Amino acid sequence: MNSKHQFVQLSDGHFIPGLGFGTYKPQEVPNSKTTEATKIAIEAGFRHIDCAYVYQVEEEVGQAVRSKIADGTVKRQDIFYTSKLWCTFHRPELVQSSLERSLKKLHFDYVDLYLIHYPFSMKPGEELFPKDENGKTIYDHVDLCAVWEAMEKCKDAGLAKSIGVSNFNRRQLEMILNKPGLKYKPVCNQVECHIYHNQRKLLDFCKSKNIVLVAYSALGTQREKPWVDQSSPVLLDDPILGALAKKHKRSPALIALRYQLQRGVVVLAQSFKENEIKENIQV
């Protein structure tokens, strides 16, 4: 594998590259940009690609990976690919077919890591964000432990090499860890994590249980209007980060990424700009 990477061993014995390329994109960015950016990322040396069913770009990401396999840049086993189970597919009978749907879009036989994207369920169906006539989200009631058992079956079927969770708090993790008859524990918990929200307590808990913390929005969030107060400070403009960047002759983004690696966190870096992608791999 690529020598630029440090690897972190997961509790099931598999290794995850410490730096990953995030493929989430705002709606206004065309899907074709994802194909292009993923190819650039692989050429630059990224071997860990993070995606999800709900991002609706798995076809584009799969296409980029396959083109880099076809031209000899990588082999499939060099790539660590993550996908995520969306909230409308939590009913145990839907879990494996949802993963198979992702695999079909990707033209892959397996994913390296499959995560429960969020610890809540929504009404099953093709609608990604089901809402009632008043615009309120329609939730579903599914026991998280039952969802986890279906995830374990995906691993047993060879469709996912490792399984984990995302956006879980300590209580939700404990629910899975204390489940009677637990076959596999979650290898990781992927959460928002950056210098303004460093998840110290959750990180300590995860380390105590040998669960790897994976950080998304490590360079700050996308600042999308529905979720983020537009007057809140921009992380990469932070004066302390800027001073450290100056001192070490690096960019603020590299300092923010390095911070996570040094505390044992697997970190995702996301950009559609070639110069930024090439810079981020230097961490």
Side-chain angles (χ1 to χ4, degrees), residues 7-222:
F7 289 87
V8 176
Q9 188 166 13
L10 300 170
S11 60
D12 62 4
H14 289 111
F15 287 86
I16 183 170
L19 178 68
F21 180 69
T23 60
Y24 173 76
K25 66 167 194 65
Q27 274 181 319
E28 63 274 12
V29 176
N31 283 16
S32 57
K33 278 270 188 218
T34 303
T35 313
E36 203 183 306
T38 306
K39 283 182 188 174
I40 291 165
I42 294 170
E43 284 161 10
F46 278 94
R47 296 295 177 261
H48 169 186
I49 313 283
D50 182 86
C51 198
Y53 180 85
V54 77
Y55 299 170
Q56 296 182 283
V57 290
E58 289 201 298
E59 279 174 42
E60 288 78 5
V61 172
Q63 198 185 328
V65 173
R66 291 195 319 277
S67 80
K68 290 290 109 193
I69 291 171
D71 72 10
T73 306
V74 287
K75 296 184 175 75
R76 170 64 186 94
Q77 60 267 31
D78 297 331
I79 297 291
F80 188 100
Y81 180 85
T82 300
S83 187
K84 306 179 192 85
L85 174 75
W86 185 237
C87 308
T88 53
F89 300 103
H90 277 192
R91 291 190 182 180
E93 67 275 15
L94 301 177
V95 172
Q96 187 168 320
S97 59
S98 175
L99 173 51
E100 285 167 347
R101 209 188 261 210
S102 283
L103 291 170
K104 195 176 172 186
K105 288 182 178 195
L106 292 156
H107 296 272
F108 288 177
D109 297 326
Y110 66 91
V111 296
D112 297 272
L113 180 59
Y114 198 45
L115 308 179
I116 299 177
H117 204 149
Y118 280 97
F120 60 84
S121 312
M122 293 193 287
K123 182 191 163 202
E126 291 308 305
E127 202 66 43
L128 289 174
F129 296 94
K131 290 184 166 57
D132 65 16
E133 62 277 9
N134 302 314
K136 291 263 193 302
T137 300
I138 308 171
Y139 292 99
D140 195 21
H141 298 285
V142 186
D143 177 9
L144 276 179
C145 289
V147 185
W148 187 253
E149 283 172 14
M151 296 285 285
E152 291 178 327
K153 285 177 182 154
C154 291
K155 179 172 164 73
D156 283 337
L159 301 177
K161 292 202 169 181
S162 299
I163 51 174
V165 298
S166 180
N167 300 301
F168 274 49
N169 61 27
R170 177 181 175 151
R171 189 178 54 81
Q172 290 153 343
L173 281 169
E174 282 177 333
M175 204 190 301
I176 305 284
L177 293 171
N178 300 331
K179 186 184 90 67
L182 181 71
K183 193 168 185 183
Y184 308 114
K185 71 179 197 180
V187 297
C188 72
N189 184 19
Q190 185 184 128
V191 294
E192 178 181 336
C193 183
H194 45 73
I195 56 171
Y196 287 165
H197 182 36
N198 74 7
Q199 300 279 15
R200 186 177 50 83
K201 285 182 179 172
L202 187 62
L203 176 60
D204 288 346
F205 174 74
C206 286
K207 281 183 174 176
S208 77
K209 300 293 179 190
N210 198 14
I211 294 170
V212 170
L213 198 81
V214 180
Y216 69 77
S217 295
L219 302 176
T221 69
Q222 300 271 356

